[in-house]
């Protein structure tokens, strides 16, 4: 790879051992992918996780004096303020959260603790070069905004935040952004929930590819959030196009950059239904409801408030969202309605965190296959159902 004088100085350790390590990681990735050089990034998002390895790496960078040149937003952890009111926290879990907070703060990250930064705090424009980790975020910024990011890890995105550059390869190049599989969506796609199933099913049918969807009209931002989250959880798809909707696909020809699709597949309503049946735990009695994987928007919070207004939930209901949306929900009266029904809105929290230990071994309901996917190893079971149906189930305690 060719390096600028500044990048060479970083590699030589002139900016400290933390920056040197970050540049070495990026150089190794660049060499592995035959990148010719580095390019500057204008935005970064780091999927901070609170896991030991992540913390080890962040603290190593801090010890080496690194700070972020392009300050990243960060993924959710868990809000110890909110959870102290809900459950008893293990001291070691709380300690790791506090150490992670301290390390990332020292690095200069913007501590948003939100997994949908592309909607409210880190919104790119068309063509911007980014380094974004987080499964729903990378497909959204690539596909919906037409910004350019590879499918970064928490560590590679953090290295780009520190150095301000990323290796030039993969989805940063226009030619690699061409679609290669045409996906005819024959299902009606009437509910945002259908996009969860579509996102989970498509990678099974096409593997690692850039799908071009036809037959989808005017999806909501929540539908697109769901689609990206599942495409990149059920598989590893970080870029898709929707003909007539996303910015690099005004026509089918543009989406494929004039090439012929290598494969064509059809998605039917029956397949989406079968996908849901496969992913979902059987119905029956439920112990709780959990939403916000990815973090709920204010419109989704409003939808839940509308469903539970003046009613009592039979089981606890939790909604995860950003602190900004939680504050908005408070100001708009949604939080009061949900709290009076027996529900809780928690900010800054991911379901893949130890704060949910009090639900281990129980059966919940959610609208998100991603939520069910990450909690399997934690002995939690989930019925997966559309939002309205699942809230009705939480009101009755049974699905
Ligand atoms: Fe967000 Fe955690 Fe789910 S980062 S998408 S709540 S797994």
């Amino acid at each position: 790879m060719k390096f600028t004088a500044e990048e060479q100085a970083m590699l030589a350790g002139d900016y400290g051992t933390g920056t040197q390590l970050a540049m070495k990681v990026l150089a190794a990735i660049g060499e592995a992918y035959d990148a010719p050089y580095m390019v500057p990034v204008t935005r970064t998002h780091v999927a901070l996780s609170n896991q030991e390895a992540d913390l080890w790496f962040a603290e190593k960078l801090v010890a080496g004096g690194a700070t972020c040149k392009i300050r990243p937003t960060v993924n959710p952890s868990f809000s110890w303020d909110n959870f102290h009111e809900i459950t008893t926290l293990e001291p070691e879990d709380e300690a790791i959260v506090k150490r992670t907070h301290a390390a990332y703060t020292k690095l200069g990250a913007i501590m948003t603790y939100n997994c949908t930064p592309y909607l409210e705090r880190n919104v790119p424009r068309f063509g911007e070069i980014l380094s974004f980790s987080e499964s729903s975020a990378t497909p959204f910024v690539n596909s919906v905004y037409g910004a350019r990011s590879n499918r970064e890890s928490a560590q590679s995105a953090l290295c780009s935040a520190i150095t301000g550059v990323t290796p030039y390869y993969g989805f940063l190049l226009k030619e690699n952004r061409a679609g290669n599989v045409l996906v005819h969506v024959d299902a009606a796609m009437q509910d945002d929930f259908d996009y969860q199933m579509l996102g989970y099913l498509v990678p099974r049918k096409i593997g690692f590819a850039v799908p071009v969807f036809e037959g989808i009209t005017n999806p909501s931002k929540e539908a697109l959030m769901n689609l990206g989250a599942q495409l990149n959880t059920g598989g590893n798809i970080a870029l898709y196009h929707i003909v007539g909707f996303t910015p690099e696909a005004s026509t089918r020809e543009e989406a494929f950059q004039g090439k012929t699709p290598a494969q064509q597949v059809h998605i039917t309503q029956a397949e989406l239904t079968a996908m849901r049946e496969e992913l979902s735990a059987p119905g029956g009695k439920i112990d709780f409801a959990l939403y916000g994987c990815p973090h709920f928007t204010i419109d989704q919070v409003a939808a839940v408030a509308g469903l539970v207004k003046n009613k009592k939930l039979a089981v606890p209901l939790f909604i995860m969202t950003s602190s900004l949306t939680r504050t908005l929900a408070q100001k708009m009266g949604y939080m009061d309605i949900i709290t009076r029904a027996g529900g809780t809105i928690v900010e800054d929290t991911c379901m893949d965190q130890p704060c949910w230990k009090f639900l281990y071994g129980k059966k919940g309901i959610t609208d998100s296959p991603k939520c069910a996917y990450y909690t399997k190893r934690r002995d939690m079971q989930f019925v997966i159902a559309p939002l309205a149906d699942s809230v009705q189930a939480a009101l009755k305690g049974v699905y």
Side-chain angles (χ1 to χ4, degrees):
M1 282 182 81
K2 283 195 180 129
F3 297 103
T4 63
E6 190 188 16
E7 289 159 5
Q8 278 173 357
M10 288 184 194
L11 281 172
D14 296 359
Y15 290 80
T17 56
T19 303
Q20 182 184 36
L21 173 60
M23 187 52 102
K24 275 186 176 174
V25 169
L26 295 176
I29 294 171
E31 296 287 350
Y33 285 98
D34 290 330
Y37 46 79
M38 300 283 176
V39 284
V41 293
T42 47
R43 294 175 184 280
T44 57
H45 176 77
V46 173
L48 150 165
S49 71
N50 281 327
Q51 287 162 7
E52 292 280 356
D54 178 33
L55 181 57
W56 173 85
F57 188 66
E59 289 182 337
K60 197 170 171 64
L61 293 170
V62 171
T67 52
C68 293
K69 202 169 175 181
I70 305 294
R71 300 178 72 193
T73 46
V74 300
N75 252 29
S77 151
F78 70 83
S79 161
W80 54 83
D81 288 341
N82 289 175
F83 275 88
H84 271 306
E85 291 166 15
I86 301 172
T87 185
T88 309
L89 296 168
E90 306 279 350
E92 63 270 23
D93 293 337
E94 198 165 332
I96 202 166
V97 166
K98 289 187 173 172
R99 268 174 62 200
T100 302
H101 182 83
Y104 277 85
T105 303
K106 279 187 195 143
L107 288 171
I110 303 167
M111 305 308 286
T112 48
Y113 290 124
N114 163 234
C115 51
T116 57
Y118 48 85
L119 291 181
E120 57 184 37
R121 281 161 168 145
N122 205 350
V123 182
R125 62 179 162 72
F126 183 84
E128 242 185 290
I129 293 184
L130 323 174
S131 182
F132 263 46
S133 49
E134 168 48 34
S135 51
S136 83
T138 317
F140 203 103
V141 293
N142 266 328
S143 317
V144 180
Y145 295 130
R148 297 185 180 192
S149 175
N150 282 312
R151 189 174 182 267
E152 302 292 351
S153 67
Q155 287 70 40
S156 62
L158 183 56
C159 291
S160 286
I162 288 166
T163 58
V165 295
T166 189
Y168 189 51
Y169 76 99
F171 290 140
L172 307 191
L173 280 73
K174 185 172 190 293
E175 60 266 32
N176 294 337
R177 300 175 66 81
N180 41 35
V181 177
L182 182 57
V183 181
H184 302 272
V185 181
D186 301 332
M189 307 306 289
Q190 283 168 338
D191 191 302
D192 293 342
F193 179 74
D194 294 327
Y195 290 82
Q196 309 263 36
M197 295 306 131
L198 179 68
Y200 217 93
L201 176 62
V202 163
R204 290 225 184 147
K205 295 189 89 160
I206 70 170
F208 179 67
V210 178
V212 175
F213 293 102
E214 276 194 345
I216 293 178
T217 33
N218 226 5
S220 68
K221 63 183 179 309
E222 288 80 9
L224 295 166
M225 195 167 91
N226 293 345
L227 177 63
Q230 309 312 331
L231 282 171
N232 212 6
T233 300
N236 48 15
I237 291 176
L239 169 66
Y240 63 86
H241 303 291
I242 301 175
V243 175
F245 187 79
T246 54
E248 292 165 89
S250 54
T251 61
R252 185 198 284 190
E253 289 66 35
E254 188 191 6
F256 285 100
Q257 295 185 19
K259 297 188 193 110
T260 307
Q263 188 190 355
Q264 297 202 31
V265 296
H266 285 260
I267 303 286
T268 63
Q269 191 63 50
E271 285 177 299
L272 297 184
T273 306
M275 184 81 255
R276 176 184 162 193
E277 280 164 8
E278 183 193 322
L279 293 174
S280 177
K285 186 180 161 306
I286 53 165
D287 302 309
F288 66 95
L290 178 57
Y291 304 104
C293 178
H295 276 179
F296 259 21
T297 64
I298 193 66
D299 292 328
Q300 290 172 307
V301 173
V304 175
L307 290 162
V308 303
K309 190 169 185 180
N310 299 327
K311 295 180 183 156
K312 273 279 168 222
L313 287 153
V315 294
L317 176 151
F318 305 97
I319 297 173
M320 298 176 294
T321 191
S322 67
S323 54
L324 191 66
T325 301
R326 188 175 186 266
T327 304
L328 197 55
Q330 213 165 359
K331 286 185 178 173
M332 296 177 75
Y334 301 138
M335 189 143 127
D336 194 36
I337 292 169
I338 291 169
T339 308
R340 270 192 274 124
T344 309
I345 301 180
V346 291
E347 63 189 6
D348 298 349
T349 298
C350 167
M351 39 59 51
D352 192 23
Q353 291 285 329
C355 54
W356 298 108
K357 271 180 189 157
F358 66 106
L359 298 179
Y360 292 2
K362 296 188 175 177
K363 184 159 123 184
I365 193 162
T366 182
D367 64 337
S368 167
K370 185 177 177 187
C371 180
Y373 175 86
Y374 277 107
T375 45
K376 264 191 201 143
R377 63 173 186 256
R378 303 198 189 273
D379 190 25
M380 288 158 92
Q381 275 188 58
F382 277 99
V383 174
I384 302 173
L387 181 60
D389 294 356
S390 60
V391 174
Q392 294 301 347
L395 286 164
K396 290 186 281 197
V398 67
Y399 181 78

